[in-house]
Amino acid sequence: MDSVQFESLPREELEAVQLRRLQETCSRVYNLVPHYKESFDKAGIKPEDVKSLKDLSKLPFTIKQDMRDNYPYGLFTVSLDKVVRIHSSSGTTGKPTVVGYTAEDMKSWNEIMGRVYRMAGLNSSDILHNAYGYGLFTGGLGFHSAAEQMGMTVVPSSGGFTSRQLMLMKDYGATVLGSTPTFALHLAEVALKEGYDLKNDFKLRAGVFGAEPVSPGLKEEIEKVWGIQYFETYGLSEIMGPGVSGSCPYSKHLHVAEDHFIPEIIDPETGDPLPYGERGELVFTTITKQAIPLIRYRTKDLTTLFSEPCKCGRTLVRMESIVGRSDDMLIIGGVNVFPSQIEHVIAEVEGLSLNYIIIADKKGRLDKMDLEVEVCDTIELSDDTLMSKIKNELREGIRNHLYVNANVILVANGTLARSEGKAVRVIDKRPG
Ligand code: DLL
């Protein structure tokens, strides 16, 4: 069965395929990954006990910490000679989360991103201006490979260099923009400042946006200012990258690629499964992944699943756009940032205490991050040379480990408010 047929299969047929793939995946991880043998045994379940999709809820969860504990390749089910690509994303501290793809995984990824493009009405005559970052982040290359495979013309511009991007978009005749929603608005703002006529100088007709949460108002603003249709994709590196779900023209909700991943919603506190229609934490089980299959991976993203039929004819369940996170992860300009990672870097810099506060805000349309840190009580704030050395070291450390820029503000020991209960590490001043 091909990917297109799968999109509108009657539910019973779709679920039969899912069950078979789930059973194969359970055997695979149980037999090949010590972590899973242990966690299945601890939960008192064997792969052959999975007899229906309802049995999914008996399987153990996988969390980000499990990936860290098995860093870098401990959860892989193939040897590295079968792995053709590595990506990674933020870990909660020190080491990043590593994922690998076999050639077959790449085929699946292209298939699901291809579906996102088809749902957006794109085809081989489109020109994709791809402003997602290229590199270890899955955005750039994930968008790139699938578009190329579909025969689109890809302009691999990557992030940054706003004015140059605008020139390329205009001159090369981009019809589709791939970027974070924030960057799409920033591009529009700079274009207007530079005197472009957004509707007539550009040939854009659609955008495929994702990688960060966005309010409905902001989506409308992007559609209006650029005169384009807004399509969304959601995804995460642990599961695959962009393409895990995507919107169609009939619904702002996103169809989940259920031929590759089984979604569940759980209560983030208790871990109990919640029915469709109720909001909770999104959990995915991969059912075709070869290199690093994951069982019941807790995304920490909060959303709702809907099973009602969609006007587009697809029977794949839909998820609402992500409404938040059940942990403290921040997304700054599309880059995931955990306060614990920042703390890890602060701890490495001599002269700093571990009293800090992260302030996420907007500068124009773009995200920015201020980081206020108390120096140790033995350090004089008036020592300019020392202050600039500490500042640079911290800024560089953060850039190297987290790939984001922080505006570092050093303050005297004892200045930052102390909290009676859990320390307040983050103030998010961004609207929405
Ligand atoms: O952000 C993959 C991606 C790239 C998706 C480009 C869409 C477009 P990670 O870097 O692993 O992967 O970050 C995953 O980003 O758990 C969400 O919290 C957030 N996220 C991704 N897509 C959306 C979205 C990529 N459409 C984390 N809306 C996820 C809201 C999103 N949040």
Side-chain angles (χ1 to χ4, degrees):
M1 187 182 326
D2 72 19
S3 150
V4 180
Q5 286 172 305
F6 204 97
E7 293 168 22
S8 41
L9 272 191
R11 282 307 294 182
E12 318 77 74
E13 284 180 48
L14 184 150
E15 286 176 8
V17 179
Q18 284 185 317
L19 178 61
R20 189 171 44 72
R21 292 181 177 176
L22 172 66
Q23 289 166 330
E24 282 165 12
T25 302
C26 287
S27 307
R28 186 180 178 88
V29 296
Y30 187 80
N31 293 317
L32 297 172
V33 182
H35 164 83
Y36 278 117
K37 169 141 193 349
E38 206 176 296
S39 66
F40 273 52
D41 286 350
K42 212 161 137 199
I45 188 157
K46 293 257 180 289
E48 51 276 22
D49 298 333
V50 179
K51 298 209 163 66
S52 85
L53 289 180
K54 289 208 177 69
D55 293 327
L56 189 61
S57 62
K58 299 181 186 152
L59 297 173
F61 289 119
T62 309
I63 57 172
K64 215 173 177 73
Q65 183 64 31
D66 296 324
M67 305 193 77
R68 182 170 158 75
D69 292 344
N70 290 282
Y71 180 84
Y73 300 135
L75 295 181
F76 281 33
T77 60
V78 295
S79 57
L80 282 181
D81 63 339
K82 298 271 184 320
V83 172
V84 299
R85 174 89 69 81
I86 295 285
H87 278 288
S88 66
S89 73
S90 316
T92 42
T93 50
K95 298 284 187 191
T97 301
V98 185
V99 290
Y101 304 76
T102 64
E104 203 177 321
D105 292 332
M106 290 306 301
K107 199 168 148 256
S108 307
W109 194 6
N110 286 337
E111 210 173 274
I112 61 173
M113 258 318 287
R115 180 181 287 156
V116 168
Y117 290 142
R118 270 190 292 105
M119 289 198 285
L122 309 180
N123 58 47
S124 60
S125 56
D126 277 295
I127 301 175
L128 169 72
H129 184 90
N130 189 10
Y132 284 107
Y134 279 64
L136 288 167
F137 174 54
T138 50
L141 286 167
F143 266 66
H144 184 110
S145 312
E148 203 171 76
Q149 184 111 106
M150 248 175 89
M152 280 191 228
T153 308
V154 186
V155 183
S157 62
S158 201
F161 310 104
T162 315
S163 299
R164 188 162 159 271
Q165 300 237 11
L166 288 165
M167 179 191 80
L168 298 180
M169 283 167 70
K170 176 172 181 267
D171 293 353
Y172 298 174
T175 58
V176 195
L177 171 64
S179 76
T180 60
T182 314
F183 193 63
L185 273 181
H186 177 68
L187 277 169
E189 201 168 76
V190 175
L192 290 172
K193 244 189 236 155
E194 294 187 357
Y196 285 100
D197 171 344
L198 261 58
K199 310 253 160 71
N200 294 312
D201 284 341
F202 299 94
K203 295 203 176 76
L204 279 191
R205 63 185 180 94
V208 184
F209 303 106
E212 63 185 8
V214 56
S215 65
L218 214 80
K219 289 183 188 176
E220 275 167 31
E221 197 181 336
I222 292 176
E223 288 195 315
K224 218 161 116 209
V225 68
W226 277 109
I228 61 175
Q229 256 188 306
Y230 189 109
F231 291 93
E232 179 176 353
T233 182
Y234 160 89
L236 61 166
S237 356
E238 291 90 328
I239 296 304
M240 189 66 102
V244 171
S245 64
S247 59
C248 71
Y250 296 92
S251 164
K252 290 283 180 212
H253 294 152
L254 290 78
H255 288 283
V256 176
E258 284 187 285
D259 37 354
H260 297 279
F261 322 108
I262 304 181
E264 294 173 87
I265 295 291
I266 60 161
D267 178 324
E269 299 295 325
T270 63
D272 294 337
L274 295 175
Y276 284 167
E278 278 191 37
R279 189 176 277 172
E281 181 182 335
L282 184 60
V283 169
F284 280 112
T285 299
T286 70
I287 51 172
T288 56
K289 276 276 275 297
Q290 299 297 303
I292 172 166
L294 293 180
I295 304 291
R296 303 192 83 205
Y297 183 73
R298 291 187 60 162
T299 65
K300 305 278 178 179
D301 289 318
L302 301 175
T303 184
T304 314
L305 293 175
F306 303 98
S307 57
E308 289 78 17
C310 182
K311 279 205 201 107
C312 74
R314 289 183 181 84
T315 49
L316 302 172
V317 297
R318 283 172 290 156
M319 55 181 261
E320 75 177 322
S321 284
I322 299 299
V323 294
R325 303 247 331 153
S326 67
D327 64 5
D328 54 2
M329 186 183 93
L330 286 163
I331 305 185
I332 307 283
V335 181
N336 304 344
V337 174
F338 289 95
S340 48
Q341 279 178 304
I342 303 245
E343 183 165 317
H344 197 76
V345 181
I346 295 175
E348 305 275 291
V349 179
E350 209 174 319
L352 292 178
S353 81
L354 282 180
N355 289 316
Y356 64 93
I357 189 136
I358 301 161
I359 303 160
D361 205 348
K362 289 273 179 198
K363 185 173 181 197
R365 290 302 193 170
L366 293 180
D367 291 340
K368 70 168 184 125
M369 182 170 75
D370 288 343
L371 177 57
E372 291 186 19
V373 195
E374 284 184 7
V375 293
C376 297
D377 51 7
T378 49
I379 299 254
E380 277 301 325
L381 261 191
S382 52
D383 185 341
D384 289 345
T385 323
L386 182 61
M387 287 310 111
S388 84
K389 180 177 166 282
I390 294 178
K391 252 189 193 176
N392 282 342
E393 208 176 310
L394 181 55
R395 210 171 11 218
E396 281 303 302
I398 288 174
R399 210 190 346 246
N400 285 338
H401 284 89
L402 287 82
Y403 312 110
V404 286
N405 290 317
N407 174 38
V408 174
I409 303 152
L410 298 179
V411 296
N413 201 265
T415 322
L416 295 177
R418 302 291 192 264
S419 123
E420 307 238 313
K422 213 164 131 63
V424 179
R425 297 300 194 195
V426 178
I427 299 176
D428 200 337
K429 294 186 174 167
R430 295 171 295 181

